[in-house]
Amino acid sequence: MLFALICKDKPGSLQLRVDTRPAHAAFLEGLIAEGKLAFAGPFLDADGKPDGSLVMIEAPDMAGAQALAAADPYARAGLFKSVEIRAWNWVFQKPTSA
């Protein structure tokens, strides 16, 4: 089942995001290798700077999605003001490999 992780950064946390990005990218690469990442990327503020994330993951259930969300180095570093986890159904433009 697909889950959307809708993450909003804490105000003034851009440097924390930058500092933690290598570990976050490595984490996402691991999810790709495990077949658990559909897509991911940052939300951008009015100045074009990242201020949150959208991460679409594959997990067996909500508990599994919550565990993956908590394991993200961004979450572990305290970057996020909030994380909303929503089950999601990919209907249009779904890649044939997904």
Side-chain angles (χ1 to χ4, degrees):
M1 174 178 278
L2 287 171
F3 290 88
L5 310 181
I6 304 162
C7 311
K8 297 179 183 176
D9 293 1
K10 291 177 182 172
S13 61
L14 181 58
Q15 190 59 53
L16 177 59
R17 174 178 274 274
V18 169
D19 293 345
T20 312
R21 188 175 191 300
H24 170 72
F27 174 75
L28 294 181
E29 290 292 337
L31 292 182
I32 291 169
E34 296 171 8
K36 294 180 180 177
L37 181 68
F39 56 84
F43 290 112
L44 304 175
D45 67 13
D47 297 322
K49 299 207 185 316
D51 67 351
S53 298
L54 173 61
V55 181
M56 192 67 61
I57 58 169
E58 178 77 31
D61 52 28
M62 180 60 77
Q66 290 169 332
L68 284 175
D72 185 329
Y74 278 168
R76 294 175 56 169
L79 174 64
F80 300 133
K81 172 176 72 172
S82 66
V83 176
E84 181 180 4
I85 302 174
R86 304 272 317 263
W88 190 70
N89 184 22
W90 198 335
V91 176
F92 295 100
Q93 292 291 88
K94 183 176 180 179
T96 55
S97 62

Coordinates of all heavy atoms in Angstrom, one line a residue:
M1 N 0.8 -1.2 0.0 CA 0.0 0.0 0.0 C 0.9 1.2 0.0 O 1.9 1.3 0.7 CB -0.9 0.0 1.2 CG -1.7 1.2 1.4 SD -2.8 1.1 2.9 CE -4.1 0.2 2.1
L2 N 0.5 2.3 -0.7 CA 1.2 3.5 -0.8 C 0.8 4.5 0.3 O -0.4 4.6 0.6 CB 1.1 4.2 -2.1 CG 1.8 3.5 -3.3 CD1 1.4 4.1 -4.6 CD2 3.3 3.6 -3.1
F3 N 1.8 5.2 0.9 CA 1.5 6.2 1.9 C 2.2 7.5 1.5 O 3.4 7.4 1.1 CB 1.9 5.7 3.3 CG 1.1 4.6 3.8 CD1 1.4 3.3 3.5 CD2 0.0 4.9 4.6 CE1 0.6 2.3 4.0 CE2 -0.8 3.9 5.1 CZ -0.5 2.6 4.8
A4 N 1.6 8.6 1.6 CA 2.2 9.9 1.4 C 2.6 10.4 2.8 O 1.9 10.5 3.7 CB 1.2 10.9 0.8
L5 N 3.9 10.8 2.9 CA 4.4 11.5 4.0 C 4.5 12.9 3.7 O 5.3 13.3 2.8 CB 5.8 10.9 4.4 CG 6.0 9.4 4.5 CD1 7.4 9.1 4.9 CD2 5.0 8.8 5.5
I6 N 3.7 13.7 4.3 CA 3.6 15.2 4.0 C 4.2 15.9 5.2 O 3.6 15.9 6.3 CB 2.1 15.6 3.8 CG1 1.5 14.7 2.7 CG2 2.0 17.1 3.5 CD1 0.0 14.8 2.7
C7 N 5.4 16.3 5.0 CA 6.3 16.8 6.1 C 6.5 18.3 6.0 O 6.8 18.8 4.9 CB 7.6 16.1 6.1 SG 7.5 14.3 6.0
K8 N 6.3 19.1 7.0 CA 6.5 20.5 7.1 C 7.6 20.8 8.0 O 7.6 20.3 9.2 CB 5.2 21.2 7.5 CG 4.1 21.0 6.6 CD 2.8 21.7 7.1 CE 1.7 21.4 6.1 NZ 0.4 22.0 6.6
D9 N 8.6 21.6 7.5 CA 9.8 21.9 8.3 C 9.4 22.9 9.4 O 8.5 23.7 9.2 CB 10.9 22.5 7.5 CG 11.5 21.6 6.5 OD1 11.1 20.4 6.4 OD2 12.4 22.0 5.7
K10 N 10.2 22.9 10.5 CA 10.1 23.9 11.5 C 10.6 25.2 10.9 O 11.5 25.2 10.1 CB 10.9 23.5 12.7 CG 10.4 22.4 13.5 CD 11.3 22.0 14.7 CE 10.8 20.8 15.4 NZ 11.8 20.3 16.4
P11 N 10.0 26.3 11.3 CA 10.5 27.6 10.8 C 12.0 27.8 11.1 O 12.5 27.4 12.2 CB 9.7 28.7 11.5 CG 8.4 27.9 11.9 CD 8.9 26.5 12.2
G12 N 12.8 28.4 10.2 CA 14.2 28.7 10.5 C 15.1 27.5 10.5 O 16.1 27.6 11.1
S13 N 14.7 26.4 9.9 CA 15.4 25.2 10.0 C 16.2 24.8 8.7 O 16.6 23.6 8.5 CB 14.5 24.0 10.4 OG 13.5 23.8 9.5
L14 N 16.3 25.7 7.8 CA 17.0 25.4 6.5 C 18.4 24.8 6.7 O 18.8 23.9 6.1 CB 17.0 26.6 5.6 CG 17.7 26.4 4.2 CD1 16.9 25.3 3.5 CD2 17.7 27.7 3.5
Q15 N 19.2 25.4 7.6 CA 20.5 24.9 7.8 C 20.5 23.4 8.3 O 21.3 22.6 7.9 CB 21.3 25.8 8.8 CG 22.8 25.4 8.8 CD 23.5 25.5 7.5 OE1 23.4 26.5 6.8 NE2 24.1 24.5 7.0
L16 N 19.6 23.1 9.2 CA 19.4 21.7 9.7 C 19.1 20.8 8.5 O 19.7 19.7 8.4 CB 18.4 21.6 10.8 CG 18.1 20.2 11.3 CD1 19.3 19.6 11.9 CD2 17.0 20.3 12.3
R17 N 18.3 21.3 7.6 CA 17.9 20.5 6.4 C 19.2 20.2 5.6 O 19.5 19.1 5.2 CB 16.8 21.2 5.6 CG 16.5 20.5 4.3 CD 15.4 21.2 3.6 NE 14.1 20.7 4.0 CZ 13.5 19.7 3.5 NH1 14.1 19.0 2.5 NH2 12.3 19.3 3.9
V18 N 19.9 21.3 5.3 CA 21.1 21.2 4.5 C 22.1 20.3 5.2 O 22.7 19.4 4.5 CB 21.7 22.6 4.3 CG1 23.1 22.5 3.7 CG2 20.8 23.5 3.4
D19 N 22.3 20.4 6.5 CA 23.3 19.6 7.2 C 22.9 18.1 7.2 O 23.8 17.2 7.2 CB 23.5 20.1 8.6 CG 24.1 21.4 8.7 OD1 24.7 21.9 7.7 OD2 24.0 22.1 9.8
T20 N 21.6 17.8 7.2 CA 21.2 16.5 7.3 C 20.9 15.8 6.0 O 20.7 14.6 5.9 CB 19.9 16.4 8.2 OG1 20.1 17.2 9.4 CG2 19.5 15.0 8.6
R21 N 20.9 16.6 4.9 CA 20.5 16.1 3.6 C 21.3 14.9 3.2 O 20.8 13.9 2.6 CB 20.6 17.2 2.5 CG 20.0 16.7 1.2 CD 20.0 17.7 0.1 NE 19.2 17.3 -1.0 CZ 19.4 16.3 -1.8 NH1 20.4 15.5 -1.5 NH2 18.7 16.0 -2.8
P22 N 22.7 14.8 3.3 CA 23.4 13.6 2.9 C 22.8 12.3 3.5 O 22.6 11.3 2.8 CB 24.8 13.9 3.3 CG 24.9 15.4 3.3 CD 23.6 15.8 3.8
A23 N 22.5 12.3 4.8 CA 22.0 11.2 5.5 C 20.6 10.9 5.0 O 20.2 9.7 4.8 CB 22.0 11.4 7.0
H24 N 19.8 11.9 4.8 CA 18.4 11.7 4.2 C 18.5 11.1 2.8 O 17.7 10.2 2.6 CB 17.7 13.1 4.2 CG 16.4 13.1 3.5 ND1 15.3 12.5 4.0 CD2 16.1 13.7 2.3 CE1 14.3 12.7 3.1 NE2 14.8 13.4 2.1
A25 N 19.4 11.6 2.0 CA 19.5 11.1 0.6 C 19.9 9.6 0.7 O 19.4 8.8 -0.1 CB 20.5 11.9 -0.2
A26 N 20.8 9.3 1.5 CA 21.3 7.9 1.7 C 20.1 7.0 2.1 O 19.9 5.9 1.7 CB 22.5 7.8 2.6
F27 N 19.3 7.5 3.1 CA 18.1 6.8 3.5 C 17.2 6.5 2.4 O 16.7 5.4 2.2 CB 17.4 7.6 4.6 CG 16.1 7.0 5.1 CD1 16.1 5.9 5.9 CD2 14.9 7.6 4.7 CE1 14.9 5.4 6.4 CE2 13.7 7.1 5.2 CZ 13.7 6.0 6.0
L28 N 16.9 7.5 1.6 CA 16.0 7.4 0.4 C 16.6 6.4 -0.6 O 15.8 5.6 -1.2 CB 15.7 8.7 -0.2 CG 14.9 9.7 0.6 CD1 14.6 11.0 -0.2 CD2 13.6 9.1 1.1
E29 N 17.9 6.4 -0.8 CA 18.5 5.5 -1.7 C 18.3 4.0 -1.2 O 18.1 3.1 -2.0 CB 20.0 5.8 -1.9 CG 20.3 7.0 -2.7 CD 19.9 7.0 -4.1 OE1 19.9 5.9 -4.7 OE2 19.7 8.0 -4.7
G30 N 18.4 3.9 0.1 CA 18.1 2.6 0.7 C 16.7 2.1 0.5 O 16.5 0.9 0.2
L31 N 15.8 3.0 0.6 CA 14.4 2.7 0.3 C 14.2 2.3 -1.2 O 13.4 1.4 -1.5 CB 13.4 3.8 0.7 CG 13.3 4.2 2.2 CD1 12.3 5.4 2.3 CD2 12.9 3.0 3.0
I32 N 14.9 3.0 -2.1 CA 14.8 2.6 -3.5 C 15.3 1.2 -3.7 O 14.7 0.4 -4.3 CB 15.6 3.6 -4.3 CG1 14.9 5.0 -4.3 CG2 15.8 3.1 -5.8 CD1 15.8 6.1 -4.9
A33 N 16.4 0.9 -3.1 CA 17.0 -0.4 -3.2 C 16.1 -1.5 -2.7 O 16.1 -2.6 -3.2 CB 18.4 -0.5 -2.5
E34 N 15.3 -1.2 -1.7 CA 14.3 -2.1 -1.1 C 13.0 -2.1 -1.8 O 12.1 -2.9 -1.4 CB 14.1 -1.8 0.4 CG 15.4 -1.9 1.3 CD 15.2 -1.4 2.7 OE1 14.1 -1.0 3.0 OE2 16.2 -1.3 3.4
G35 N 12.8 -1.3 -2.8 CA 11.5 -1.2 -3.5 C 10.5 -0.5 -2.7 O 9.3 -0.8 -2.9
K36 N 10.8 0.4 -1.8 CA 9.9 1.0 -0.9 C 9.6 2.5 -1.2 O 8.8 3.1 -0.5 CB 10.3 0.9 0.6 CG 10.3 -0.6 1.1 CD 10.8 -0.6 2.5 CE 10.8 -2.1 3.0 NZ 11.3 -2.2 4.4
L37 N 10.3 3.1 -2.1 CA 10.1 4.5 -2.4 C 9.6 4.6 -3.8 O 10.1 4.2 -4.8 CB 11.5 5.2 -2.3 CG 11.4 6.7 -2.6 CD1 10.6 7.5 -1.5 CD2 12.8 7.3 -2.8
A38 N 8.4 5.3 -3.9 CA 7.8 5.6 -5.2 C 8.4 6.9 -5.8 O 8.8 6.9 -6.9 CB 6.3 5.7 -5.1
F39 N 8.4 7.9 -5.0 CA 9.0 9.2 -5.4 C 9.1 10.1 -4.1 O 8.5 9.8 -3.1 CB 8.2 9.9 -6.5 CG 6.8 10.2 -6.2 CD1 6.4 11.3 -5.5 CD2 5.8 9.3 -6.6 CE1 5.0 11.5 -5.2 CE2 4.4 9.5 -6.3 CZ 4.1 10.7 -5.6
A40 N 9.9 11.1 -4.3 CA 10.1 12.0 -3.1 C 10.7 13.4 -3.6 O 11.3 13.4 -4.7 CB 11.1 11.4 -2.1
G41 N 10.5 14.4 -2.9 CA 11.1 15.7 -3.2 C 10.6 16.7 -2.2 O 9.7 16.5 -1.4
P42 N 11.3 17.9 -2.2 CA 10.9 18.9 -1.3 C 9.8 19.8 -1.7 O 9.6 20.1 -2.9 CB 12.3 19.7 -1.2 CG 12.8 19.6 -2.5 CD 12.5 18.2 -3.0
F43 N 9.1 20.4 -0.8 CA 8.2 21.5 -1.0 C 9.1 22.7 -1.0 O 10.1 22.8 -0.3 CB 7.1 21.6 0.1 CG 6.1 20.5 0.0 CD1 6.0 19.6 1.0 CD2 5.2 20.5 -1.1 CE1 5.0 18.6 1.0 CE2 4.2 19.5 -1.1 CZ 4.1 18.5 -0.1
L44 N 8.7 23.8 -1.8 CA 9.5 25.0 -1.8 C 8.7 26.2 -1.3 O 7.5 26.3 -1.6 CB 9.9 25.2 -3.3 CG 10.7 24.1 -3.9 CD1 11.0 24.4 -5.4 CD2 12.0 23.8 -3.2
D45 N 9.4 27.1 -0.6 CA 8.7 28.3 -0.2 C 8.7 29.3 -1.3 O 9.1 29.1 -2.5 CB 9.4 28.9 1.1 CG 10.8 29.4 0.9 OD1 11.2 29.5 -0.3 OD2 11.5 29.6 1.9
A46 N 8.2 30.5 -1.0 CA 8.1 31.6 -2.0 C 9.4 32.0 -2.6 O 9.5 32.5 -3.8 CB 7.4 32.8 -1.4
D47 N 10.5 31.8 -1.9 CA 11.8 32.1 -2.4 C 12.5 30.9 -3.1 O 13.7 31.0 -3.5 CB 12.7 32.6 -1.2 CG 12.2 33.8 -0.6 OD1 11.7 34.7 -1.4 OD2 12.3 34.0 0.6
G48 N 11.8 29.8 -3.3 CA 12.3 28.6 -3.9 C 13.2 27.8 -3.0 O 13.9 26.9 -3.5
K49 N 13.2 28.0 -1.7 CA 14.0 27.2 -0.8 C 13.1 26.1 -0.2 O 11.9 26.3 0.1 CB 14.5 28.1 0.3 CG 15.4 29.3 -0.2 CD 16.4 29.7 0.8 CE 17.2 30.8 0.4 NZ 17.8 30.9 -0.9
P50 N 13.7 25.0 0.1 CA 12.9 23.9 0.6 C 12.4 24.2 2.0 O 13.1 24.8 2.8 CB 13.9 22.7 0.7 CG 15.2 23.2 0.4 CD 15.1 24.6 -0.1
D51 N 11.1 23.8 2.2 CA 10.5 24.0 3.6 C 9.6 22.9 4.0 O 8.8 23.0 4.9 CB 9.7 25.3 3.6 CG 8.5 25.3 2.7 OD1 8.3 24.4 1.9 OD2 7.7 26.3 2.8
G52 N 9.8 21.7 3.4 CA 9.1 20.5 3.7 C 9.4 19.4 2.7 O 10.2 19.6 1.8
S53 N 8.7 18.3 2.8 CA 9.0 17.2 1.9 C 7.7 16.4 1.6 O 6.8 16.4 2.5 CB 9.9 16.2 2.6 OG 11.2 16.7 2.9
L54 N 7.6 15.9 0.4 CA 6.6 14.9 0.1 C 7.3 13.6 -0.3 O 8.2 13.6 -1.2 CB 5.8 15.3 -1.1 CG 4.8 14.3 -1.7 CD1 3.7 13.9 -0.6 CD2 4.1 14.9 -2.9
V55 N 7.1 12.5 0.5 CA 7.7 11.3 0.3 C 6.6 10.2 0.2 O 5.8 10.0 1.0 CB 8.7 10.9 1.5 CG1 9.4 9.6 1.2 CG2 9.7 12.0 1.7
M56 N 6.6 9.5 -1.0 CA 5.6 8.5 -1.2 C 6.3 7.1 -1.1 O 7.3 6.8 -1.8 CB 5.1 8.6 -2.7 CG 3.9 7.8 -2.9 SD 2.4 8.3 -1.9 CE 2.2 9.9 -2.6
I57 N 5.8 6.4 -0.1 CA 6.5 5.1 0.3 C 5.5 4.0 0.1 O 4.3 4.1 0.2 CB 7.0 5.1 1.7 CG1 5.9 5.4 2.7 CG2 8.2 6.1 1.8 CD1 6.3 5.2 4.2
E58 N 6.1 2.8 0.0 CA 5.3 1.5 0.0 C 5.5 0.9 1.4 O 6.6 0.8 1.9 CB 5.8 0.6 -1.1 CG 5.2 -0.8 -1.1 CD 3.8 -0.7 -1.7 OE1 3.6 0.1 -2.7 OE2 2.9 -1.6 -1.3
A59 N 4.4 0.6 2.1 CA 4.5 -0.1 3.4 C 3.3 -1.0 3.5 O 2.2 -0.8 2.9 CB 4.4 1.0 4.5
P60 N 3.4 -2.0 4.3 CA 2.3 -3.0 4.5 C 1.0 -2.4 5.1 O -0.1 -2.8 4.9 CB 2.8 -4.1 5.3 CG 4.0 -3.5 6.0 CD 4.5 -2.4 5.1
D61 N 1.2 -1.4 6.0 CA 0.1 -0.8 6.8 C 0.6 0.5 7.4 O 1.7 0.9 7.2 CB -0.4 -1.8 7.8 CG 0.8 -2.3 8.7 OD1 1.8 -1.6 8.9 OD2 0.7 -3.4 9.3
M62 N -0.3 1.2 8.1 CA 0.0 2.5 8.7 C 1.2 2.3 9.7 O 2.0 3.2 9.7 CB -1.3 3.0 9.4 CG -1.0 4.4 10.1 SD -0.5 5.7 8.9 CE -2.1 6.1 8.2
A63 N 1.2 1.3 10.5 CA 2.3 1.1 11.4 C 3.6 1.1 10.7 O 4.6 1.7 11.2 CB 2.1 -0.1 12.3
G64 N 3.7 0.4 9.6 CA 4.9 0.3 8.8 C 5.3 1.6 8.2 O 6.5 2.0 8.2
A65 N 4.3 2.4 7.8 CA 4.6 3.7 7.2 C 5.1 4.7 8.3 O 6.0 5.4 8.1 CB 3.3 4.3 6.6
Q66 N 4.5 4.6 9.5 CA 4.9 5.4 10.6 C 6.4 5.0 11.0 O 7.2 5.9 11.3 CB 4.0 5.2 11.8 CG 2.6 5.8 11.6 CD 1.6 5.4 12.7 OE1 1.7 4.3 13.3 NE2 0.6 6.2 12.9
A67 N 6.7 3.8 11.0 CA 8.1 3.3 11.3 C 9.1 3.9 10.3 O 10.2 4.4 10.7 CB 8.2 1.8 11.4
L68 N 8.8 3.8 9.0 CA 9.7 4.4 8.0 C 9.8 5.9 8.1 O 10.9 6.4 8.0 CB 9.2 4.0 6.6 CG 9.4 2.6 6.1 CD1 8.7 2.4 4.8 CD2 10.9 2.3 6.1
A69 N 8.7 6.6 8.4 CA 8.7 8.0 8.6 C 9.6 8.4 9.8 O 10.4 9.3 9.7 CB 7.3 8.6 8.8
A70 N 9.5 7.7 10.8 CA 10.3 7.9 12.0 C 11.8 7.7 11.8 O 12.7 8.3 12.5 CB 9.8 7.1 13.2
A71 N 12.1 6.7 10.9 CA 13.5 6.4 10.6 C 14.2 7.4 9.7 O 15.5 7.3 9.7 CB 13.6 5.0 10.0
D72 N 13.5 8.2 9.1 CA 14.1 9.2 8.2 C 15.1 10.1 9.0 O 14.7 10.7 10.0 CB 13.0 10.1 7.5 CG 13.5 11.0 6.5 OD1 14.7 11.5 6.6 OD2 12.8 11.3 5.5
P73 N 16.3 10.3 8.6 CA 17.2 11.2 9.3 C 16.7 12.6 9.5 O 17.0 13.2 10.5 CB 18.5 11.2 8.4 CG 18.5 9.8 7.8 CD 17.0 9.6 7.5
Y74 N 15.9 13.1 8.6 CA 15.3 14.4 8.8 C 14.4 14.4 10.0 O 14.5 15.3 10.9 CB 14.5 14.9 7.6 CG 15.2 15.5 6.5 CD1 14.6 15.7 5.2 CD2 16.5 15.9 6.6 CE1 15.2 16.2 4.2 CE2 17.2 16.5 5.5 CZ 16.5 16.6 4.3 OH 17.2 17.2 3.2
A75 N 13.6 13.4 10.2 CA 12.7 13.2 11.3 C 13.5 13.1 12.6 O 13.2 13.7 13.6 CB 11.7 12.1 11.1
R76 N 14.5 12.2 12.5 CA 15.4 11.9 13.7 C 16.1 13.2 14.1 O 16.4 13.3 15.3 CB 16.3 10.8 13.4 CG 15.5 9.5 13.2 CD 16.4 8.4 12.8 NE 17.5 8.2 13.8 CZ 18.3 7.2 13.8 NH1 18.1 6.2 12.9 NH2 19.2 7.1 14.8
A77 N 16.4 14.1 13.2 CA 17.2 15.3 13.5 C 16.2 16.4 14.1 O 16.7 17.4 14.5 CB 17.9 15.8 12.3
G78 N 14.9 16.1 14.0 CA 14.0 17.1 14.6 C 13.6 18.2 13.6 O 13.2 19.3 14.0
L79 N 13.8 18.0 12.3 CA 13.6 19.0 11.2 C 12.1 19.4 11.1 O 11.8 20.5 10.9 CB 14.1 18.5 9.9 CG 13.8 19.4 8.7 CD1 14.5 20.7 8.8 CD2 14.2 18.7 7.4
F80 N 11.2 18.4 11.3 CA 9.8 18.6 10.9 C 9.0 19.2 12.1 O 9.0 18.7 13.2 CB 9.2 17.3 10.5 CG 9.9 16.7 9.2 CD1 10.2 15.4 9.2 CD2 10.2 17.5 8.1 CE1 10.8 14.8 8.1 CE2 10.8 17.0 7.0 CZ 11.1 15.6 7.0
K81 N 8.2 20.2 11.7 CA 7.2 20.7 12.6 C 6.0 19.7 12.7 O 5.4 19.6 13.7 CB 6.7 22.1 12.1 CG 5.5 22.7 12.8 CD 5.2 24.1 12.3 CE 4.6 24.0 10.9 NZ 4.0 25.3 10.4
S82 N 5.7 19.1 11.5 CA 4.6 18.1 11.5 C 4.8 17.1 10.4 O 5.5 17.4 9.4 CB 3.3 18.8 11.2 OG 3.2 19.4 9.9
V83 N 4.3 15.9 10.5 CA 4.3 14.9 9.5 C 2.9 14.3 9.5 O 2.4 13.7 10.5 CB 5.4 13.8 9.9 CG1 5.3 12.7 8.8 CG2 6.8 14.4 9.9
E84 N 2.3 14.4 8.3 CA 1.0 13.8 8.1 C 1.2 12.6 7.3 O 1.9 12.6 6.2 CB 0.0 14.8 7.4 CG -1.3 14.2 7.2 CD -2.3 15.2 6.5 OE1 -1.8 16.3 6.1 OE2 -3.4 14.8 6.3
I85 N 0.6 11.4 7.6 CA 0.8 10.2 6.9 C -0.6 9.8 6.4 O -1.5 9.6 7.2 CB 1.4 9.1 7.7 CG1 2.8 9.5 8.3 CG2 1.5 7.8 6.9 CD1 3.4 8.5 9.2
R86 N -0.7 9.7 5.0 CA -2.0 9.4 4.4 C -1.9 8.2 3.5 O -1.0 8.2 2.6 CB -2.5 10.6 3.6 CG -2.7 11.9 4.4 CD -4.0 12.1 5.1 NE -5.2 11.7 4.3 CZ -5.9 12.6 3.6 NH1 -5.6 13.8 3.5 NH2 -7.0 12.1 3.0
A87 N -2.8 7.3 3.5 CA -2.8 6.2 2.5 C -3.2 6.9 1.2 O -4.0 7.8 1.2 CB -3.9 5.2 2.9
W88 N -2.6 6.3 0.1 CA -2.8 7.0 -1.2 C -3.0 5.9 -2.3 O -2.3 4.9 -2.2 CB -1.6 7.9 -1.5 CG -1.7 8.8 -2.7 CD1 -2.5 9.9 -2.8 CD2 -1.0 8.7 -3.9 NE1 -2.3 10.5 -4.0 CE2 -1.4 9.8 -4.7 CE3 0.0 7.8 -4.4 CZ2 -0.8 10.0 -6.0 CZ3 0.5 8.0 -5.6 CH2 0.1 9.1 -6.4
N89 N -3.8 6.2 -3.3 CA -4.1 5.3 -4.4 C -3.6 6.0 -5.7 O -4.1 7.0 -6.1 CB -5.6 5.0 -4.5 CG -5.9 4.0 -5.6 OD1 -5.0 3.2 -6.0 ND2 -7.1 4.0 -6.0
W90 N -2.6 5.4 -6.3 CA -2.0 6.0 -7.5 C -2.9 5.5 -8.7 O -2.8 4.3 -9.1 CB -0.6 5.5 -7.7 CG 0.3 6.2 -8.6 CD1 -0.1 7.0 -9.7 CD2 1.7 6.3 -8.6 NE1 1.0 7.6 -10.3 CE2 2.1 7.2 -9.7 CE3 2.7 5.8 -7.8 CZ2 3.4 7.5 -9.9 CZ3 4.0 6.1 -8.0 CH2 4.4 6.9 -9.1
V91 N -3.6 6.4 -9.3 CA -4.5 6.0 -10.4 C -4.0 6.5 -11.7 O -3.9 5.7 -12.6 CB -5.9 6.7 -10.1 CG1 -6.9 6.4 -11.2 CG2 -6.5 6.1 -8.8
F92 N -3.7 7.8 -11.9 CA -3.3 8.3 -13.2 C -1.8 8.4 -13.3 O -1.1 8.8 -12.3 CB -4.0 9.6 -13.5 CG -5.5 9.5 -13.6 CD1 -6.3 9.9 -12.5 CD2 -6.1 9.1 -14.7 CE1 -7.6 9.8 -12.6 CE2 -7.4 9.0 -14.8 CZ -8.2 9.3 -13.7
Q93 N -1.3 8.1 -14.5 CA 0.2 8.3 -14.8 C 1.0 7.3 -13.9 O 2.2 7.6 -13.7 CB 0.6 9.7 -14.6 CG 0.1 10.7 -15.7 CD 0.6 10.4 -17.0 OE1 0.1 9.6 -17.8 NE2 1.7 11.1 -17.4
K94 N 0.5 6.3 -13.5 CA 1.2 5.3 -12.7 C 2.2 4.6 -13.6 O 1.8 4.0 -14.7 CB 0.3 4.3 -12.1 CG 1.0 3.3 -11.2 CD 0.0 2.4 -10.5 CE 0.6 1.4 -9.6 NZ -0.3 0.5 -8.9
P95 N 3.5 4.6 -13.2 CA 4.5 3.9 -14.1 C 4.2 2.4 -14.1 O 3.7 1.8 -13.1 CB 5.8 4.1 -13.3 CG 5.6 5.3 -12.5 CD 4.1 5.2 -12.1
T96 N 4.5 1.7 -15.2 CA 4.2 0.3 -15.3 C 5.0 -0.5 -14.3 O 4.5 -1.6 -13.9 CB 4.5 -0.2 -16.8 OG1 5.9 0.1 -17.1 CG2 3.6 0.4 -17.8
S97 N 6.1 0.0 -13.9 CA 6.9 -0.8 -12.9 C 6.4 -0.6 -11.5 O 6.8 -1.3 -10.5 CB 8.4 -0.3 -12.9 OG 8.5 1.1 -12.6
A98 N 5.5 0.3 -11.2 CA 5.0 0.6 -9.8 C 3.8 -0.3 -9.5 O 3.2 -0.9 -10.3 CB 4.5 2.0 -9.7

